[in-house]
Amino acid sequence: MKKNQIRRSFGDAVFDWINLALLLLVVVLMLYPLYFTVVASLSDPYATARGETYFWVKDFTLDAYRNVFINKQIWSGYANSIFYTVVGTAWALAVTIPCAYAMSRKHLKGAGILMGMFVFTMYFSGGLIPSYMLIKNLGLFNKRLALILPAGISVYNMIVARTFYRTNFPDDLYEAAKIDGCCEFGIFFKIAVPVSGAIIAVIALFVAVGHWNSYFSALLYLTDNSKWPLQLILRGILIQNQNMSMDLNALRSATMDQIEFMQKKARMAEAMKYSLIFISSAPLLVAYPFVQKYFVKGVLIGSIKG
């Protein structure tokens, strides 16, 4: 077996080691911010301020997480974000996938005009005020649907899905299904959807991340804080913590005990920032490994082999 192997030169070995070193460097640069966030959130705030937590936890404590979860709105924000993410993703898939499939068919009349209208919206939009007026006139203001219905379709996602269908759904398969007596709906549900695992996983991930991280739409359209998503509630907590830090600079005439107390609160507010970052990112970090297998599975599935 060794005689049949291709002998690698010294230059090839050096090239492989350089690639490995660069990839390891990229991995470290990507993972270290998250690692430092976890370490800083679990360390004593004073140790973090002194720069003693760059590589390991110093004076382990859960006070930052305890102070965050005391706020009952955190739990309602989690429930709201899960609702917006699950329902919003399902709605986006129900709109985007059929639209992309229809736009991928060459025999669709007026497809060029429709595609031009879609692309036009990517470069020109009505703006913030017309969008606000539209939501209000539709009766969606301060309702959960205001965060779900307008985000139903993304032109970029639709173009990605359309390209997938044009590449992996040849005309031969379509014609064979028509000869067997299958209608358009039958072709879509029985043939197109079963082989769309990869693109459905991609679009679902894009949309879910967008819904989970979204807070600006809720800031505009929701006045009832019981409907706020997690990101908007965390934003309010961060603003309160910043205000506490600013009050510390204003206490010039305070006593030493008051100053020490405010310093402790300011340090804790700084530690809470790291805990809030991890709390908001943890669900997606946990869910991604389960979604990844659908990417691999979807890539391996095809409509025609050979």
Side-chain angles (χ1 to χ4, degrees):
M1 293 296 296
K2 292 184 178 180
K3 294 181 179 180
N4 296 329
Q5 290 180 353
I6 298 176
R7 185 175 182 180
R8 297 178 59 82
S9 64
F10 177 76
D12 293 334
V14 172
F15 180 78
D16 291 341
W17 282 107
I18 292 176
N19 281 340
L20 179 61
L22 291 177
L23 291 175
L24 289 176
L25 178 61
V26 171
V27 170
V28 170
L29 291 177
M30 294 177 63
L31 294 181
Y32 178 75
L34 179 61
Y35 173 77
F36 176 76
T37 299
V38 177
V39 170
S41 65
L42 296 174
S43 301
D44 183 79
Y46 288 94
T48 303
R50 291 193 299 266
E52 300 176 356
T53 59
Y54 288 113
F55 300 104
W56 51 78
V57 176
K58 181 70 174 181
D59 299 331
F60 177 81
T61 178
L62 294 174
D63 290 341
Y65 291 94
R66 191 176 296 110
N67 288 325
V68 169
F69 285 111
I70 286 176
N71 193 333
K72 295 182 180 180
Q73 285 188 327
I74 292 290
W75 302 107
S76 65
Y78 255 112
N80 291 332
S81 289
I82 293 173
F83 173 80
Y84 295 137
T85 301
V86 173
V87 178
T89 302
W91 165 244
L93 290 175
V95 175
T96 303
I97 297 301
C99 178
Y101 170 79
M103 296 300 298
S104 68
R105 296 297 90 207
K106 297 179 181 179
H107 65 273
L108 178 65
K109 295 182 180 180
I113 298 176
L114 292 174
M115 197 63 203
M117 296 174 63
F118 277 118
V119 174
F120 182 84
T121 62
M122 296 180 65
Y123 298 97
F124 303 97
S125 62
L128 181 61
I129 296 178
S131 299
Y132 180 86
M133 294 176 62
L134 177 63
I135 294 297
K136 191 172 183 179
N137 292 334
L138 289 176
L140 299 177
F141 188 77
N142 200 28
K143 294 184 178 179
R144 298 181 187 273
L145 290 178
L147 304 185
I148 297 175
L149 290 181
I153 188 169
S154 168
V155 178
Y156 176 80
N157 292 340
M158 188 274 291
I159 293 176
V160 172
R162 191 193 86 166
T163 304
F164 173 85
Y165 282 119
R166 283 196 170 181
T167 305
N168 297 277
F169 199 84
D171 293 335
D172 295 340
L173 181 62
Y174 178 82
E175 293 174 358
K178 294 290 287 186
I179 292 174
D180 291 339
C182 198
C183 63
E184 292 290 346
F185 287 100
I187 296 173
F188 174 71
F189 287 107
K190 295 181 180 180
I191 300 177
V193 173
V195 300
S196 303
I199 194 61
I200 290 176
V202 170
I203 300 301
L205 181 63
F206 287 169
V207 176
V209 171
H211 276 289
W212 185 266
N213 293 329
S214 177
Y215 77 93
F216 189 67
S217 297
L219 184 63
L220 291 177
Y221 306 136
L222 299 181
T223 57
D224 186 0
N225 56 12
S226 64
K227 300 177 182 178
W228 284 359
L230 177 65
Q231 303 297 336
L232 189 57
I233 293 176
L234 298 183
R235 173 182 175 272
I237 295 176
L238 289 176
I239 291 175
Q240 293 177 1
N241 294 339
Q242 290 177 356
N243 291 336
M244 287 194 308
S245 299
M246 294 175 61
D247 292 340
L248 176 62
N249 298 325
L251 288 177
R252 298 180 179 178
S253 60
T255 62
M256 293 300 297
D257 292 338
Q258 290 175 330
I259 293 178
E260 184 179 355
F261 176 73
M262 290 301 297
Q263 285 179 342
K264 184 177 180 181
K265 291 182 64 176
R267 296 302 183 192
M268 181 55 62
E270 192 70 20
M272 289 174 63
K273 291 181 182 180
Y274 297 110
S275 64
L276 290 172
I277 293 173
F278 181 73
I279 289 171
S280 60
S281 304
L284 292 179
L285 294 175
V286 173
Y288 182 77
F290 297 97
V291 178
Q292 186 181 15
K293 64 180 182 180
Y294 294 101
F295 281 90
V296 178
K297 183 178 178 181
V299 170
L300 296 177
I301 294 178
S303 56
I304 293 181
K305 301 296 183 180

